Amino acid sequence: MEERARSCLLRSRVTLEQDIKASYLMDHMISDGVLTGDEEERVLSKPTRREQASALLEVLLWKDNRAYISFYNALIRESYGDLASLLHNDLPQLSPEGEKSYSNGISPTVQAILSEGGVPQRPVVFVNRPALLNKVREKLYKLQNSVGWVTVFGMAGSGKSVLAAEAVRDHVLIKETFPDGVHWLSVGQCERADLLVRMQSLCFRLEQSQISEAPLRPPSSVEEAKERLRFLMLRRFPRALLILDDVWDSYSLRAFDIQCRVLLTTRNRSLTDSVSGQRFSVPVESGLDEEKALEILALYVNGKLHNLPEQARSIVKECRGSPLVVSLIGALLREFPERWGYYLRQLQKKQFQRIRKSSSYDYEALDQAMDASLQVLKEEHRELYKDLSVLEKDVKVPAKVLSVLWGKELEDVEDVLQEFVNKSLLFRDCNQRPYHYYLHDLQLDFLTEQNRSQLAELHSKVIRQYQQAYSKSLPTSMDVECLYWYRFLPHHMARAGLSKELYSLMFSLDWVKNKAQIMGSAHLINDYVEYGAVLDQENSEVRLQFQEFLSLNGHQLEQRPFPDVVQLALSQPHSSEVYRQALLQAKERANRGQLYLDWVNKSNQESLSRLVLHPHQNSVYYACFSRDGSKIASCGASKTLRVFKSTSGEKLQEILAHDDEILCCAFSPDDRHIATCSSDRKVKVWNVEKGTLLRVFEDEHEEQINHCQFTNTNRRVLLATCSNDKITNTKLWNLNKPTSQNTMFGHMEPVNHCCFSPDDTYLATSSNDGTLKLFEVQSANEWKSIDINSFFPENDDETSVMVKCSTWSADGTRIFCAAKNTVFMFDVETQDMLLEIRTSRLSTVQYCQACPNSQLLALALSHYTVELWDFEANKRMAECSGHLSWVPCVQFSPKGSLLLSSSDDQTIRLWETERVHTSSAVALKRHFDVVFNQDDITVVAADSKNRLQVRSGLTGELEFESVKQKSRVRCTCICRQVPAVALGTEDGTVQAGKMSARQVLRRIGLKALQLLNLQQTSVLALGLELGTVQVLEVPSGKMLATLLGHTKTVHHCLFTEDGQTLITSSEDTTVRVWRWRTGECLVLEGHKEPVRKFHLVGSSSSSPALLSWSFDGTAKVWDLSSGKKLQDLECHHGAVLSADISLDGQVFSTASADKTAKVWSCTSWEMVFLLKGHKACVRSCRFSWDSKRLATGDDNGEIRLWNMLNGSLLKICSRESKDSMDSFHGGWVTDLHFSPDNKVLVSTGGYIKWWSVERGEALQTFYTTGANLKRIHVSPDFKSFVTIDNIGILYILKQVEGGQL
């Protein structure tokens, strides 16, 4: 230190020791870097204030010139202007070397200007915020040629002061815009007398720089001080910048309205409305991001980012990005480095008063800083602000919500909100119209803590105001505030303790319908999970009923147009409250002419799915649980990655992640990152919480990347990938390195899958070269190789078996792999095969995974199902049906309690492994027939075990069941005239005779059947797979005939009306006409392809004829008496898929794979109309009862209605938009029926739809659990409907009474 500066300190020592408070001054000096923490601690160890002051001066005397200047500036900032004047004349000059070291890169001239102007130095810990800094400097440059104001505004602790000080540390800015200097004045909350003291200190500083003049008397009033400052700034410092820090009110600001250039920091953005001159503003709304906040903590504790304890990230999260709070905590941790956990707990408990002052901030604790902002509000507005305590974090609300809460006109509310925004007590999102408002997390934490005892009453007020505002009806989607109410009304009820109101709301189908339509089902499911404990106090069964309804139908509620929730709810069990409410509403609406269908036999069905999700608008290739089980990630053909809650399906993240299909995704061991790999040959790693891209690996794989997986533990995190590359197909990646860490060499063909052993020692790879290999992770060397080809001796030597995937047992001693339709289990050490699981020969295993804590093994199969096996007992435990397409992936949850499956049908299903079992309700096949007898219904169908089932009544009770048969029955029919039945058997024989019903049922198997009538006794004909036809009597079971002749599968059979003749068609291209009692047979030959079906023409006439059609594109007409071919029509260039004859017998129609339908005359046998327009195979056709219309349906799901007077197109049904299955009908339109009055049309495809014939609009949709419906049977009164879906569920539907069709 210069001698004259040291002498000045010694001369003034007594005076300084009497007045200064050392702790306040040392905060500034530590920030300037001239005082260490140890020196501060030594000073503060002195018992009295005067001794502390003396100790501080003693330390200063041994410092350099920088310490003297820092002490001088600290005196000015803490309002010791009179003491600073004692030191001013002896201020030392910094040497160039000193200036360079002191300036942290700032030029000596700038540093000198800032020091003399009292601008605070950078904090000891400083992290740059370049975006905000550039905004402030941009505004300051606008003051270059004229006076004006730049306002930096933001809430308490947002870093305004540091930002303002940093903005002027710019050589070019000062040289060009403020060459006369920069002068800093801390204003704060102050009375008139305090303001005068601050103005006097500023006058003193400005006058001290004029050495030639004698010092003036301090101004005696604010007005006098204002005039003196005006004179000084105008005459002596015309191009200087005055920085006013922390201005609170307009009175204080007007005292500096002296026609100069001003930069001010404030919490109230509207302050400059009271002063003259041009005005600019910079909002400081955003806080620090996580990495910058961690950087600050690391600097405070003199550590490195990666060495921070695990509590560091939690502390940063609790600080909500506030620079003030991060700095306060950092400073405290510098003093008490072992208190990470303690300060985290204080933040979590919102104990702001415990976060004590450890810097030069004006308030002793954080809660004081927050409360100071509120005290400037009017009493009335403080009460309104208190109401904001009920808001949730990160939630933006429109003014209309607060208008309801406060009971005020919208315009009045907007005025109040504007005041809050101006004072930085509230933030406004101007990107939404109307504007939305929100609180910073720290403000909300403070409010919540301050009003903790009143929170329940505040939430009750929300409910009262809502009920008053919406007493007549629920908010609609047209209301700007409706989204808020639907999202948070249950929250307010629960927080208010209003249990009854919550029950009434959540157990209402109207609420479910409205909220699902506006927000989707996931939010609703989340409500039932979150408030389950409260709801269960009223009725846990009802809560589970609503939750299950949403879980199993949520994917339907994502459809647009939005489905009829009442119709969906009618599929719930009869005992369900959901069903009860739906039935009441359906009856009420049916009285107004709406159509609803009740699934009357649903009590026999049990859904094994826990949750059904529809996350993507395309195939879902892969899905996996997070390591804690709380989240699920999915990916697929849509190129997006989606993360959602495993409890409800609520979306957490959706990222358009790649340029091509995403084939796999994987969570890191700590769940913070997620990796994706794609056909675009790239691997990407994402931040799960923020959805930001962290790293891309794109240069090493040259073909599509099939799979990726992280190590299982945090010990050494690696990512494994495998691809279609020929040699370099398996790689290990370290996320901190730009290139792969290792490449596993061994496979010479594409690798489909890779997975780490439970302890991460080995990596298993499955390849198209027919091998399963195990590599050592540490060395990347091949450890073992198992030749899977050898287990398939029937395979071509030149073609390798594709090994799809592998999975480890929980203890790592066994490994499983899947190839073709088989899963093998091997001992890892000896490579011995321990188990072989073979599934259906018609299916392939797409994926397998072992449960992490049991002996269960899950298999995903190509025939749309998931199987669970006990690999210790080699026993299949369950078959999970529900998917409508291939299942490429299955995954157990970390605890093994849940199993997810993803499918090409665009859904993910969650199954509870404890509940899933082989269902007692055996699946039925879709070849079936139905008899409607007044109110009674009888259904006959084969089941999945090839047993015959006869079910009767509205509930579908089982009446008969046979044992499993070797020959599959493919068709059947009932003769209403003669009490006998015909059976077609697989071996080509026809049997007749008497036997018990049980004997008959044991001898036959059933694939499909047509049941025309069941009276007390009936005759049933069955056609079997190998061509046999059997006739038997039901219910006695007496075998009447076994008919031999067909050489291949019998597809269709039909009795004539007199019951004496049985007609059958077959895969062998023939139609046979049987006198089934005698065995006589006419063979109708001429078709060149299989004959799937036929119709009788004029069956009541004396010379009945038969119309048959075939895949050969022809239709033929036969004389039934002689077997003579009457007509041979070349109808289409493609297969004829369907035909129908008009009721008046004048015309018949054909529908073809050539995308056309045709209408033919039954007299001239000429084509009458060619119906063109379908863009896919026309698979079904049906005439109306009055023969005036024809309906045709195609494989795109489109239905067309044609005028039979002139062949013109009347309507196209379902043309608005395709559904989730990329169809207008969920699949092919397979069957059509008109109502007797010709006003309604029913159709089957992926589901069942009813249409208005006149308008072509859908009247109702019934979503079956499965899909691919083949046909539907309709009662004569068009009020009962029966079908079976592709997973074997029987649907008996009855129109809800009151509806008019």
Side-chain angles (χ1 to χ4, degrees):
M1 185 182 296
E2 290 182 6
E3 189 57 39
R4 63 191 186 95
R6 183 189 300 273
S7 298
C8 182
L9 278 178
L10 292 171
R11 286 197 310 270
S12 309
R13 184 167 186 167
V14 175
T15 306
L16 291 170
E17 289 176 353
Q18 288 176 346
D19 292 341
I20 64 172
K21 187 171 183 179
S23 59
Y24 287 179
L25 299 176
M26 285 192 296
D27 287 336
H28 299 286
M29 299 173 71
I30 289 174
S31 296
D32 286 345
V34 300
L35 207 63
T36 67
D38 290 339
E39 290 168 335
E40 180 192 30
E41 187 174 345
R42 196 159 66 244
V43 170
L44 293 177
S45 66
K46 302 301 180 182
T48 66
R49 181 196 59 77
R50 182 158 186 166
E51 286 176 315
Q52 289 176 358
S54 177
L56 174 59
L57 292 172
E58 188 65 32
V59 170
L60 279 179
L61 290 171
W62 295 95
K63 296 281 184 181
D64 58 11
N65 291 340
R66 294 186 301 125
Y68 187 98
I69 295 174
S70 177
F71 181 63
Y72 170 81
N73 287 329
L75 290 173
I76 293 177
R77 293 200 67 193
E78 292 297 334
S79 300
Y80 295 117
D82 55 335
L83 299 179
S85 65
L86 299 176
L87 308 183
H88 183 271
N89 291 333
D90 294 306
L91 278 170
Q93 296 297 316
L94 290 175
S95 66
E97 293 76 13
E99 291 183 39
K100 184 176 180 180
S101 63
Y102 182 52
S103 61
N104 296 320
I106 301 170
S107 70
T109 304
V110 169
Q111 188 59 56
I113 292 173
L114 299 184
S115 296
E116 290 177 6
V119 176
Q121 299 294 328
R122 281 177 180 163
V124 175
V125 173
F126 172 76
V127 174
N128 199 10
R129 301 164 79 180
L132 275 173
L133 200 59
N134 289 336
K135 287 181 181 179
V136 177
R137 286 174 177 165
E138 177 188 339
K139 303 300 182 186
L140 289 173
Y141 272 114
K142 294 182 181 296
L143 303 182
Q144 186 169 1
N145 299 316
S146 62
V147 299
W149 308 77
V150 174
T151 305
V152 177
F153 66 91
M155 62 171 284
S158 58
K160 303 181 294 294
S161 300
V162 173
L163 187 64
E166 191 64 23
V168 294
R169 289 191 180 95
D170 185 279
H171 178 79
V172 177
L173 176 68
I174 292 180
K175 180 180 178 182
E176 295 182 359
T177 310
F178 310 116
D180 289 338
V182 177
H183 301 278
W184 181 286
L185 183 66
S186 297
V187 180
Q189 270 184 304
C190 58
E191 300 295 334
R192 190 180 183 90
D194 296 325
L195 178 62
L196 176 59
V197 171
R198 286 162 173 74
M199 296 177 77
Q200 287 174 341
S201 68
L202 179 58
C203 289
F204 171 80
R205 187 194 308 162
L206 295 174
E207 290 165 348
Q208 285 291 317
S209 62
Q210 308 299 313
I211 303 175
S212 59
E213 298 185 10
L216 300 176
R217 174 186 59 82
S220 58
S221 66
V222 170
E223 289 74 16
E224 182 182 351
K226 180 178 180 181
E227 289 306 315
R228 187 177 298 185
L229 287 173
R230 187 196 309 275
F231 174 82
L232 288 168
M233 297 302 289
L234 181 61
R235 297 294 181 86
R236 299 181 180 176
F237 306 98
R239 297 189 64 191
L241 176 67
L242 176 59
I243 302 179
L244 302 176
D245 183 36
D246 195 25
V247 181
W248 278 78
D249 54 69
S250 55
Y251 170 77
S252 297
L253 189 63
R254 284 197 298 270
F256 298 94
D257 188 5
I258 53 177
Q259 294 298 302
C260 67
R261 295 164 174 80
V262 181
L263 169 63
L264 73 133
T265 68
T266 181
R267 305 183 192 186
N268 189 344
R269 68 180 301 175
S270 64
L271 283 184
T272 52
D273 293 344
S274 62
V275 295
S276 58
Q278 60 178 342
R279 296 181 285 268
F280 309 97
S281 62
V282 178
V284 185
E285 295 181 358
S286 59
L288 301 170
D289 62 29
E290 184 181 81
E291 293 307 313
K292 284 194 177 296
L294 287 172
E295 184 182 340
I296 289 177
L297 289 181
L299 289 171
Y300 265 112
V301 297
N302 298 318
K304 294 184 178 180
L305 275 176
H306 63 271
N307 290 331
L308 291 177
E310 60 182 15
Q311 297 100 324
R313 288 188 184 275
S314 299
I315 284 178
V316 165
K317 186 176 180 181
E318 292 297 329
C319 290
R320 319 297 185 198
S322 168
L324 166 65
V325 185
V326 174
S327 298
L328 288 175
I329 296 296
L332 291 168
L333 287 167
R334 182 177 60 191
E335 298 179 12
F336 305 103
E338 75 287 351
R339 290 190 178 181
W340 290 88
Y342 170 77
Y343 290 124
L344 174 59
R345 290 193 298 273
Q346 301 313 311
L347 286 168
Q348 290 172 335
K349 295 175 184 177
K350 310 300 182 279
Q351 297 293 323
F352 298 126
Q353 69 275 13
R354 300 287 181 88
I355 312 302
R356 305 300 298 176
K357 173 178 176 177
S358 185
S359 72
S360 59
Y361 198 58
D362 290 342
Y363 303 97
E364 288 289 338
L366 182 58
D367 59 333
Q368 295 178 10
M370 298 286 188
D371 189 57
S373 297
L374 301 185
Q375 299 310 314
V376 299
L377 294 175
K378 302 175 187 174
E379 179 63 31
E380 176 191 359
H381 289 179
R382 278 206 297 273
E383 288 300 312
L384 296 179
Y385 193 74
K386 182 198 297 184
D387 289 337
L388 302 184
S389 306
V390 301
L391 297 183
E392 282 287 276
K393 289 178 180 177
D394 302 320
V395 174
K396 300 173 182 179
V397 297
K400 189 68 183 296
V401 170
L402 299 175
S403 175
V404 171
L405 174 58
W406 292 337
K408 291 177 174 289
E409 292 292 331
L410 181 60
E411 291 75 13
D412 295 337
V413 169
E414 289 174 340
D415 291 342
V416 175
L417 295 176
Q418 183 63 50
E419 181 185 357
F420 292 166
V421 170
N422 288 341
K423 290 181 167 56
S424 297
L425 291 168
L426 194 66
F427 294 94
R428 178 171 59 205
D429 182 358
C430 298
N431 295 320
Q432 300 190 57
R433 294 289 189 276
Y435 294 148
H436 282 52
Y437 300 85
Y438 61 99
L439 288 166
H440 188 279
D441 287 354
L442 280 174
Q443 291 171 323
L444 188 55
D445 286 343
F446 171 72
L447 270 180
T448 303
E449 185 64 26
Q450 189 180 53
N451 302 303
R452 183 168 297 281
S453 62
Q454 305 173 55
L455 283 179
E457 176 54 34
L458 291 173
H459 283 282
S460 296
K461 178 182 176 181
V462 176
I463 302 304
R464 288 195 303 271
Q465 295 296 103
Y466 167 84
Q467 291 171 338
Q468 183 178 337
Y470 299 100
S471 57
K472 296 182 180 179
S473 63
L474 292 171
T476 68
S477 59
M478 301 300 293
D479 302 326
V480 295
E481 75 278 15
C482 80
L483 196 64
Y484 179 85
W485 293 120
Y486 280 111
R487 185 176 177 187
F488 292 108
L489 194 59
H491 164 76
H492 291 305
M493 288 179 172
R495 294 295 300 273
L498 301 176
S499 303
K500 295 295 183 184
E501 288 82 353
L502 185 62
Y503 306 150
S504 177
L505 183 77
M506 300 284 289
F507 295 161
S508 162
L509 194 60
D510 287 333
W511 173 260
V512 168
K513 175 187 67 179
N514 290 341
K515 180 164 183 175
Q517 186 166 9
I518 292 170
M519 301 193 67
S521 61
H523 283 279
L524 271 164
I525 298 170
N526 199 56
D527 286 348
Y528 287 103
V529 173
E530 184 173 350
Y531 309 118
V534 180
L535 297 172
D536 287 352
Q537 294 175 13
E538 173 69 11
N539 194 319
S540 60
E541 286 189 14
V542 172
R543 195 265 300 173
L544 287 171
Q545 288 164 2
F546 273 91
Q547 187 172 330
E548 182 175 282
F549 167 61
L550 291 164
S551 297
L552 300 181
N553 291 278
H555 61 302
Q556 305 290 6
L557 298 175
E558 301 294 329
Q559 301 275 4
R560 291 298 179 269
F562 189 71
D564 190 324
V565 173
V566 172
Q567 180 59 68
L568 286 177
L570 285 173
S571 297
Q572 295 303 106
H574 290 123
S575 59
S576 169
E577 174 65 16
V578 180
Y579 171 80
R580 188 191 69 79
Q581 292 186 29
L583 187 60
L584 288 175
Q585 292 192 29
K587 288 181 177 179
E588 178 185 347
R589 297 180 186 185
N591 288 326
R592 301 198 298 266
Q594 290 181 253
L595 173 63
Y596 284 94
L597 291 306
D598 189 7
W599 183 9
V600 293
N601 70 312
K602 59 181 169 287
S603 58
N604 288 335
Q605 306 303 325
E606 179 184 8
S607 175
L608 302 179
S609 301
R610 169 177 169 173
L611 182 64
V612 184
L613 306 170
H614 186 259
H616 301 275
Q617 294 301 316
N618 220 316
S619 299
V620 185
Y621 293 153
Y622 197 83
C624 60
F625 286 97
S626 60
R627 302 303 175 101
D628 64 4
S630 65
K631 294 182 283 291
I632 293 173
S634 64
C635 59
S638 65
K639 309 175 188 176
T640 59
L641 168 69
R642 191 164 181 176
V643 183
F644 43 89
K645 291 182 180 179
S646 59
T647 53
S648 65
E650 181 181 351
K651 182 175 70 176
L652 301 174
Q653 283 290 353
E654 185 168 17
I655 305 167
L656 183 58
H658 286 269
D659 300 324
D660 207 338
E661 297 178 329
I662 305 176
L663 303 181
C664 187
C665 55
F667 281 96
S668 63
D670 60 5
D671 286 335
R672 291 177 52 214
H673 302 140
I674 190 165
T676 56
C677 63
S678 166
S679 297
D680 65 9
R681 306 183 298 280
K682 296 177 184 177
V683 181
K684 298 185 179 182
V685 182
W686 307 84
N687 180 295
V688 174
E689 184 176 354
K690 299 177 182 178
T692 53
L693 180 63
L694 300 177
R695 183 169 292 282
V696 181
F697 303 113
E698 56 183 335
D699 297 325
E700 299 195 31
H701 283 297
E702 296 180 357
E703 299 292 338
Q704 76 172 31
I705 305 170
N706 297 314
H707 196 78
C708 59
Q709 192 194 13
F710 278 101
T711 46
N712 297 301
T713 64
N714 268 317
R715 185 171 60 250
R716 184 188 178 206
V717 178
L718 295 173
L719 175 67
T721 60
C722 58
S723 72
N724 280 358
D725 292 295
K726 290 292 185 180
I727 300 175
T728 57
N729 41 39
T730 307
K731 292 179 178 290
L732 292 179
W733 309 83
N734 184 322
L735 299 191
N736 297 317
K737 297 180 180 179
T739 58
S740 62
Q741 178 160 304
N742 267 319
T743 300
M744 295 6 191
F745 294 98
H747 292 293
M748 303 304 291
E749 294 292 333
V751 178
N752 302 306
H753 183 270
C754 56
C755 60
F756 287 97
S757 60
D759 62 0
D760 297 328
T761 302
Y762 304 108
L763 181 73
T765 55
S766 308
S767 171
N768 287 359
D769 63 12
T771 65
L772 168 69
K773 292 183 183 293
L774 306 183
F775 292 88
E776 293 177 339
V777 172
Q778 187 168 1
S779 66
N781 294 328
E782 182 180 322
W783 182 50
K784 293 180 184 295
S785 180
I786 302 174
D787 183 12
I788 306 301
N789 285 309
S790 63
F791 297 99
F792 295 93
E794 73 280 5
N795 207 56
D796 186 348
D797 290 340
E798 296 183 1
T799 306
S800 297
V801 173
M802 179 188 297
V803 185
K804 297 282 287 189
C805 65
S806 58
T807 180
W808 299 79
S809 63
D811 59 7
T813 62
R814 289 162 290 183
I815 191 166
F816 306 81
C817 72
K820 291 189 172 182
N821 67 330
T822 309
V823 174
F824 301 98
M825 180 173 73
F826 297 96
D827 183 285
V828 172
E829 193 63 37
T830 65
Q831 300 179 231
D832 294 337
M833 188 183 74
L834 306 177
L835 176 68
E836 179 179 348
I837 299 173
R838 286 196 182 260
T839 62
S840 167
R841 61 183 174 83
L842 302 176
S843 184
T844 59
V845 181
Q846 301 297 306
Y847 202 87
C848 64
Q849 196 193 34
C851 184
N853 53 12
S854 74
Q855 67 272 20
L856 287 178
L857 180 71
L859 313 183
L861 303 173
S862 61
H863 67 270
Y864 311 171
T865 61
V866 174
E867 291 184 354
L868 276 181
W869 287 73
D870 183 329
F871 59 78
E872 297 288 2
N874 192 14
K875 178 182 179 182
R876 188 175 74 171
M877 305 301 295
E879 181 176 271
C880 308
S881 299
H883 283 298
L884 312 181
S885 189
W886 284 30
V887 182
C889 174
V890 286
Q891 290 280 317
F892 283 100
S893 64
K895 294 182 179 179
S897 58
L898 294 176
L899 174 72
L900 70 76
S901 54
S902 63
S903 170
D904 286 358
D905 67 8
Q906 306 178 18
T907 67
I908 294 172
R909 287 179 177 263
L910 263 68
W911 318 81
E912 291 186 64
T913 52
E914 292 296 324
R915 289 185 57 212
V916 175
H917 57 279
T918 303
S919 174
S920 59
V922 178
L924 301 177
K925 296 299 182 179
R926 287 170 291 174
H927 305 285
F928 69 105
D929 203 3
V930 180
V931 166
F932 298 97
N933 185 11
Q934 296 180 351
D935 290 335
D936 194 23
I937 296 175
T938 302
V939 181
V940 183
D943 66 21
S944 55
K945 297 186 177 180
N946 200 32
R947 300 176 300 191
L948 171 68
Q949 290 193 11
V950 180
R951 296 179 176 271
S952 65
L954 295 180
T955 59
E957 291 296 326
L958 182 65
E959 299 291 338
F960 299 103
E961 182 180 273
S962 75
V963 296
K964 181 178 179 180
Q965 298 297 306
K966 295 180 180 179
S967 179
R968 300 171 64 197
V969 179
R970 301 298 298 266
C971 63
T972 187
C973 63
I974 290 292
C975 172
R976 67 177 63 185
Q977 297 297 329
V978 182
V981 67
L983 298 171
T985 65
E986 193 172 56
D987 58 8
T989 63
V990 177
Q991 303 175 6
K994 294 184 178 181
M995 61 186 74
S996 69
R998 183 171 296 277
Q999 287 174 314
V1000 173
L1001 295 173
R1002 283 180 177 174
R1003 291 193 60 177
I1004 65 173
L1006 182 62
K1007 175 66 178 177
L1009 77 106
Q1010 182 189 21
L1011 184 59
L1012 301 180
N1013 188 25
L1014 267 184
Q1015 300 170 353
Q1016 291 185 349
T1017 58
S1018 299
V1019 173
L1020 184 68
L1022 302 173
L1024 304 186
E1025 190 168 62
L1026 292 187
T1028 306
V1029 178
Q1030 295 182 346
V1031 184
L1032 60 92
E1033 184 182 73
V1034 175
S1036 69
K1038 178 182 177 182
M1039 183 67 68
L1040 302 179
T1042 299
L1043 308 175
L1044 300 175
H1046 285 300
T1047 59
K1048 293 183 179 180
T1049 300
V1050 180
H1051 286 303
H1052 188 54
C1053 58
L1054 180 70
F1055 283 103
T1056 56
E1057 284 194 0
D1058 62 7
Q1060 301 303 310
T1061 303
L1062 175 66
I1063 309 166
T1064 59
S1065 65
S1066 169
E1067 187 82 10
D1068 64 10
T1069 75
T1070 67
V1071 179
R1072 291 178 178 261
V1073 182
W1074 308 84
R1075 301 294 291 180
W1076 61 271
R1077 287 183 178 276
T1078 64
E1080 298 175 36
C1081 176
L1082 286 175
V1083 181
L1084 311 182
E1085 295 182 292
H1087 284 295
K1088 298 178 181 178
E1089 296 286 343
V1091 183
R1092 290 300 177 102
K1093 206 170 181 183
F1094 53 82
H1095 276 319
L1096 292 175
V1097 182
S1099 58
S1100 59
S1101 64
S1102 57
S1103 58
L1106 179 137
L1107 170 70
S1108 64
W1109 60 91
S1110 168
F1111 284 4
D1112 61 13
T1114 67
K1116 304 183 190 300
V1117 183
W1118 313 83
D1119 185 302
L1120 277 184
S1121 302
S1122 64
K1124 180 181 178 181
K1125 186 192 302 180
L1126 301 177
Q1127 297 292 329
D1128 191 348
L1129 306 175
E1130 293 284 342
C1131 296
H1132 295 272
H1133 296 298
V1136 179
L1137 302 177
S1138 177
D1140 192 35
I1141 302 173
S1142 64
L1143 195 63
D1144 59 13
Q1146 297 300 306
V1147 293
F1148 73 92
S1149 62
T1150 56
S1152 171
D1154 66 7
K1155 305 180 185 178
T1156 67
K1158 296 180 180 180
V1159 180
W1160 307 81
S1161 169
C1162 288
T1163 54
S1164 67
W1165 307 106
E1166 297 290 332
M1167 185 179 71
V1168 180
F1169 303 121
L1170 171 62
L1171 309 178
K1172 300 172 69 175
H1174 284 287
K1175 296 178 177 59
C1177 296
V1178 185
R1179 192 164 294 275
S1180 56
C1181 58
R1182 184 77 66 176
F1183 284 101
S1184 61
W1185 289 82
D1186 59 9
S1187 303
K1188 294 181 179 179
R1189 296 180 180 86
L1190 176 72
T1192 57
D1194 68 22
D1195 286 1
N1196 276 341
E1198 185 177 87
I1199 298 170
R1200 291 177 174 243
L1201 297 174
W1202 308 88
N1203 186 332
M1204 287 296 96
L1205 297 178
N1206 56 19
S1208 62
L1209 178 65
L1210 295 173
K1211 295 286 180 185
I1212 299 179
C1213 302
S1214 189
R1215 199 174 186 177
E1216 296 84 6
S1217 61
K1218 291 191 176 184
D1219 55 29
S1220 62
M1221 298 302 292
D1222 197 30
S1223 164
F1224 293 116
H1225 207 303
W1228 302 345
V1229 179
T1230 54
D1231 202 3
L1232 297 158
H1233 290 273
F1234 283 92
S1235 62
D1237 61 6
N1238 304 300
K1239 292 182 178 179
V1240 177
L1241 176 72
V1242 64
S1243 61
T1244 57
Y1247 33 78
I1248 312 169
K1249 291 186 81 75
W1250 287 258
W1251 307 89
S1252 165
V1253 173
E1254 181 180 353
R1255 301 190 305 274
E1257 297 174 356
L1259 299 174
Q1260 191 54 269
T1261 303
F1262 183 90
Y1263 291 99
T1264 51
T1265 304
N1268 301 344
L1269 309 174
K1270 283 193 172 181
R1271 63 182 304 186
I1272 189 168
H1273 288 267
V1274 182
S1275 65
D1277 62 1
F1278 207 69
K1279 291 189 175 181
S1280 298
F1281 309 86
V1282 181
T1283 190
I1284 297 174
D1285 65 20
N1286 67 331
I1287 60 175
I1289 298 177
L1290 171 67
Y1291 301 88
I1292 301 176
L1293 308 179
K1294 294 280 288 185
Q1295 182 190 341
V1296 175
E1297 290 298 323
Q1300 300 300 315
L1301 297 180

